[in-house]
Amino acid sequence: MDGIKSQGNDITGIRGSRKGNGSERMMIYYAECARAKRAVEKAISACSIGSQDILNWHYVKQLTVAETKLHINHHLGHTTFTDADKMACLEFAEACDRVSMEMNCNLEILPLFLDFDDDDEKAGTNQEQNGNKTGTK
């Protein structure tokens, strides 16, 4: 309850002010942050086991790359840590975007990670069309 203050009463009995209720805004913000935190935790748990290990050890617990490698070597196999880290971040981004939209998270607190612009989609369509025109018969 840190930061929440009691409502100031006016002796005239008139409620409200131009500033509004700061305590209410703060409680709403805390609730939105808690929802975003739950969405991040749910997104991490939706990733593969190896990605969960990288995300938890390296990003949540903030261990160095060397320390993280000590905890996850059994999951890497033949891939390098860099490749496994990129895969973990991509899995997290996809899962987090889906979960945050399902949980209706505030985009100012938890923004979308993957953003596909209409221009990129149009460029891809043009490349496909050009490829089809010059493709093999």
Side-chain angles (χ1 to χ4, degrees), residues 41 43-77 81 84-89 91-92:
E41 292 167 347
I44 290 174
S45 68
C47 296
S48 66
I49 298 296
S51 293
Q52 286 180 38
D53 284 346
I54 290 173
L55 294 168
N56 282 318
W57 290 110
H58 188 58
Y59 295 102
V60 175
K61 295 180 182 177
Q62 297 182 347
L63 297 181
T64 65
V65 171
E67 292 170 330
T68 303
K69 284 181 182 181
L70 294 174
H71 291 282
I72 61 159
N73 275 341
H74 60 281
H75 292 296
L76 288 180
F81 179 81
D85 183 47
K86 287 178 185 177
M87 181 57 71
C89 290
E91 282 183 36
F92 173 76

Side-chain angles (χ1 to χ4, degrees), residues 2-83:
D2 188 15
I4 297 177
K5 300 175 179 85
S6 65
Q7 181 178 0
N9 293 326
D10 190 342
I11 58 170
T12 62
I14 300 172
R15 300 178 74 177
S17 68
R18 281 190 264 160
K19 292 182 182 178
N21 189 343
S23 298
E24 182 180 353
R25 279 195 311 270
M26 189 61 70
M27 288 191 317
I28 290 170
Y29 180 72
Y30 284 147
E32 289 175 345
C33 289
R35 185 181 314 134
K37 182 180 182 285
R38 284 191 310 272
V40 167
E41 292 167 347
K42 190 173 179 181
I44 290 174
S45 68
C47 296
S48 66
I49 298 296
S51 293
Q52 286 180 38
D53 284 346
I54 290 173
L55 294 168
N56 282 318
W57 290 110
H58 188 58
Y59 295 102
V60 175
K61 295 180 182 177
Q62 297 182 347
L63 297 181
T64 65
V65 171
E67 292 170 330
T68 303
K69 284 181 182 181
L70 294 174
H71 291 282
I72 61 159
N73 275 341
H74 60 281
H75 292 296
L76 288 180
H78 294 293
T79 59
T80 64
F81 179 81
T82 304
D83 291 339

